[in-house]
Amino acid sequence: MTALTWEEKEQLIGRNLQEILGQDNMRTILKERDLKIYWGTATTGKPHIAYFVPMSKVADFLKAGCEVTILFADLHAYLDNMKAPWTLLQERTKYYEAVIKAMLTSLGVPLEKLKFVRGTDYQLSKEYTLDVYKLSSVVTQHDAKKAGAEVVKQVEHPLLSGILYPGLQALDEEYLKVDAQFGGVDQRKIFTFAEKYLPALGYAKRIHLMNPMIPGLAGGKMSSSEEDSKIDLLDSAAKVKSKIKKAFCEPGNIEDNGLLKFVKHVIYPMFKSGEGFEIKRKAEFGGDKLFEKYEDLETYFASQELHPGDLKAAVEIYINRLLEPIRKAFDDDFHKQLTERAYPTAGAGNKKGGAAQATGDNTPDKVELTVGQIVEAVKHPDADTLCVLTVDIGNEQKKSIVSNLMAYFSLDNLKGKSVVTVTNMKSSKMRGVESEGLVLCAFNQDKYEPLAVPEGTKIGERIIVEGFDNTKAEVAQLNPKKKVWDKIQAELKTNSDGEALWKEFSLLTLNGDRVSSTLKECNIK
């Protein structure tokens, strides 16, 4: 294969990009050596078909001889308003690496030319941390908020983490030792922020390569949180057909057309010399047609000589060709289990981090967990080892709960104790006394102990299970006949640090603080 000239490398690097900042510097480097580029992705929602757009450019960079680093920005994912729960970050990073490798294989990209880096591998180092502090001493709050405006989730009262986010992304350029950063044009404000502030720390200004934003299938930005706007990388051929059928594709409209943009930025760069985009249709509708250049396809569609239905049918074929190798790669027990761990199908997304929609009856979103305070504790009239607790659960509500805690605590010691209660259980009689709920306790063969909530947690506050939404105003009463609570409770435990978990998901206050116990590696009930 003939070596490329620096001009040919520049053409490959720049094709289909919307903007390049620092192109003169890029030319200077290319005349001397190959470019070092990184692309980062925050490991939050599941990667979808729009990820083929940056992957197509990664393929171009590799063809141009560039050294390419893919950064899995796990720490950024957590800082962006905690879009990804901390306990899921490791599994989601593994999922991203597996799925991106499968995508690049589908595009025919040799993986040995790539390097994968996890953000937390270096972002928690002493040197990086000191640079974060140095950066915070020269960056204004206004500039930090402005830089993240297009990327970091905007809320009325932003967390400090979201303000730190742009600075960390800027520092990544230095710590990954690259010449250029690649990203979507929505990152432009972060890129110009980096160009302004990295030199203030004595570091070089980098080159910035920007892709255009691709419309989703429903029009507007393609989003992993809007089911109809994107095609999942593991969607079946039938789902692909259904979603493309619903896609926005107005006759003659070439501007807000996600299908055409995908063809331009993903499908055409795959073609070898002499290949083109093929439309299959009956002779009475114009017959088959091959477009070697995207511009010809776009002009043909704009003139309404190509029906949206025929464009959709063709795009469906090409998308399924791209997805089939990924489906096969993930059709084994290892990848299925990895997918489930990273994106539990049983959970419903909450404001802390977004697992998928609930599909089962025995998941913690079915349980109403409420912080209560024991205001009275008396001995059960007919049982020597039981006591009756009166628990204030906020909003002027009190629950009478029968408990065995008298065997481990004096009644006086129980009074005033903050506890986690299950408050949507059906009342039942225990030795003749009505019990209206349950106080969650960790236990071993020697002791029972109520779970502890962090200091400052308010009475009546809901406790959530990380990745699940059990904060609805009214959670349905647990059905004792279906043994819903029994099945949920069987997965409750404490880990080696005493943190309370359901499976691998933490029990948290709404502020993200962990519920815990001094009893470690125990069951909870």
Side-chain angles (χ1 to χ4, degrees), residues 140-206:
T140 65
Q141 182 185 27
H142 171 269
D143 281 3
K145 288 175 70 175
K146 179 182 176 183
E150 302 296 326
V151 177
V152 179
K153 184 176 180 181
Q154 299 299 297
V155 293
E156 185 178 355
H157 301 291
L159 297 173
L160 179 60
S161 58
I163 298 174
L164 290 173
Y165 188 111
L168 270 64
Q169 187 168 336
L171 287 174
D172 289 340
E173 297 180 349
E174 173 64 24
Y175 279 79
L176 292 172
K177 302 302 178 186
V178 295
D179 305 307
Q181 183 179 174
F182 165 61
V185 73
D186 60 333
Q187 308 251 344
R188 192 182 196 281
K189 290 178 181 177
I190 290 181
F191 292 164
T192 55
F193 172 93
E195 291 187 2
K196 177 179 179 180
Y197 284 107
L198 276 188
L201 270 62
Y203 298 141
K205 182 192 296 186
R206 264 60 180 196

Side-chain angles (χ1 to χ4, degrees), residues 43-44 46 84-96 98 234 330 332-347 353-356 466-468 493 502-505:
T43 48
T44 52
K46 284 180 81 172
W86 194 259
T87 54
L88 290 182
L89 282 176
Q90 186 174 10
E91 298 300 336
R92 289 195 177 175
T93 302
K94 292 176 185 175
Y95 179 88
Y96 266 67
L234 301 180
F330 275 72
D332 59 30
D333 289 343
F334 173 81
H335 287 94
K336 288 176 181 177
Q337 290 169 13
L338 173 60
T339 303
E340 176 62 24
R341 291 196 306 271
Y343 299 94
T345 55
E466 195 170 24
F468 296 82
K493 60 190 176 184
W502 182 82
K503 293 189 174 180
E504 68 268 38
F505 307 106

Side-chain angles (χ1 to χ4, degrees), residues 240-501:
V240 171
K241 179 183 285 293
S242 174
K243 289 181 178 180
I244 290 182
K245 188 176 181 180
K246 297 176 186 175
F248 177 79
C249 190
E250 187 178 50
N253 184 343
I254 61 173
E255 296 303 322
D256 192 21
N257 190 318
L259 294 178
L260 277 177
K261 302 300 182 187
F262 188 83
V263 170
K264 177 181 179 180
H265 290 276
V266 177
I267 296 175
Y268 267 90
M270 290 169 48
F271 292 148
K272 296 180 175 66
S273 179
E275 294 181 339
F277 188 81
E278 192 172 7
I279 298 288
K280 295 278 191 181
R281 57 188 178 182
K282 294 180 180 180
E284 58 264 37
F285 299 121
D288 297 348
K289 196 166 181 66
L290 183 71
F291 297 91
E292 290 191 14
K293 295 181 180 178
Y294 170 77
E295 291 75 16
D296 295 339
L297 171 66
E298 187 179 86
T299 300
Y300 198 68
F301 186 82
S303 66
Q304 299 191 31
E305 293 182 79
L306 177 60
H307 190 274
D310 293 323
L311 175 63
K312 288 181 178 183
V315 172
E316 179 190 336
I317 292 170
Y318 286 103
I319 285 179
N320 278 317
R321 285 181 192 171
L322 283 171
L323 297 187
E324 190 55 30
I326 302 173
R327 294 180 191 127
K328 287 182 178 178
F330 275 72
D331 190 23
D332 59 30
D333 289 343
F334 173 81
H335 287 94
K336 288 176 181 177
Q337 290 169 13
L338 173 60
T339 303
E340 176 62 24
R341 291 196 306 271
Y343 299 94
T345 55
N350 64 42
K351 59 187 174 182
K352 292 289 178 193
Q357 289 300 311
T359 57
D361 291 328
N362 308 316
T363 52
D365 53 302
K366 307 299 188 294
V367 182
E368 185 179 79
L369 299 176
T370 308
V371 176
Q373 185 177 54
I374 300 172
V375 294
E376 189 176 358
V378 299
K379 181 181 176 299
H380 191 291
D382 296 318
D384 292 338
T385 59
L386 299 179
C387 58
V388 182
L389 308 175
T390 302
V391 183
D392 182 356
I393 61 167
N395 297 319
E396 300 182 351
Q397 294 184 70
K398 292 183 174 63
K399 293 277 187 181
S400 178
I401 298 174
V402 177
S403 170
N404 69 343
L405 283 171
M406 194 175 77
Y408 306 96
F409 296 87
S410 71
L411 295 177
D412 285 341
N413 284 341
L414 287 172
K415 291 178 184 177
K417 189 177 287 291
S418 293
V419 292
V420 177
T421 59
V422 180
T423 50
N424 64 324
M425 302 184 77
K426 186 176 181 180
S427 297
S428 61
K429 287 191 175 181
M430 295 184 67
R431 302 288 292 272
V433 176
E434 198 82 14
S435 185
E436 301 176 304
L438 188 68
V439 172
L440 285 187
C441 297
F443 67 96
N444 56 28
Q445 60 183 2
D446 300 317
K447 189 175 182 180
Y448 267 73
E449 178 183 277
L451 295 181
V453 295
E455 186 176 350
T457 307
K458 296 178 181 178
I459 296 171
E461 181 175 327
R462 292 286 179 86
I463 296 297
I464 63 172
V465 177
E466 195 170 24
F468 296 82
D469 184 6
N470 51 346
T471 61
K472 304 179 185 72
E474 292 185 12
V475 180
Q477 189 178 78
L478 295 170
N479 188 336
K481 291 183 179 179
K482 292 186 177 181
K483 298 188 179 297
V484 176
W485 169 246
D486 293 344
K487 293 171 182 175
I488 296 170
Q489 182 271 322
E491 303 287 354
L492 289 169
K493 60 190 176 184
T494 60
N495 64 14
S496 58
D497 295 320
E499 296 170 352
L501 308 174

Side-chain angles (χ1 to χ4, degrees), residues 103-120:
M103 292 174 74
L104 292 171
T105 300
S106 179
L107 288 169
V109 176
L111 299 184
E112 62 269 16
K113 296 182 179 180
L114 285 170
K115 181 168 68 174
F116 294 92
V117 176
R118 190 189 309 252
T120 47

Side-chain angles (χ1 to χ4, degrees), residues 40-168:
T41 180
T43 48
T44 52
K46 284 180 81 172
H48 47 78
I49 200 165
Y51 274 63
F52 270 112
V53 177
M55 289 304 101
S56 178
K57 284 307 304 172
V58 167
D60 281 344
F61 300 152
L62 291 167
K63 290 172 188 174
C66 300
E67 296 178 28
V68 180
T69 298
I70 291 182
L71 171 67
F72 296 116
D74 48 357
L75 185 57
H76 291 68
Y78 185 74
L79 290 176
D80 188 0
N81 211 43
M82 290 183 284
K83 282 182 179 178
W86 194 259
T87 54
L88 290 182
L89 282 176
Q90 186 174 10
E91 298 300 336
R92 289 195 177 175
T93 302
K94 292 176 185 175
Y95 179 88
Y96 266 67
E97 181 167 347
V99 84
I100 287 175
K101 283 180 177 177
M103 292 174 74
L104 292 171
T105 300
S106 179
L107 288 169
V109 176
L111 299 184
E112 62 269 16
K113 296 182 179 180
L114 285 170
K115 181 168 68 174
F116 294 92
V117 176
R118 190 189 309 252
T120 47
D121 289 344
Y122 65 89
Q123 290 165 346
L124 301 177
S125 69
K126 177 182 176 181
E127 294 77 14
Y128 189 93
T129 302
L130 285 173
D131 272 343
V132 172
Y133 285 125
K134 289 178 184 176
L135 198 61
S136 70
S137 71
V138 295
V139 174
T140 65
Q141 182 185 27
H142 171 269
D143 281 3
K145 288 175 70 175
K146 179 182 176 183
E150 302 296 326
V151 177
V152 179
K153 184 176 180 181
Q154 299 299 297
V155 293
E156 185 178 355
H157 301 291
L159 297 173
L160 179 60
S161 58
I163 298 174
L164 290 173
Y165 188 111
L168 270 64

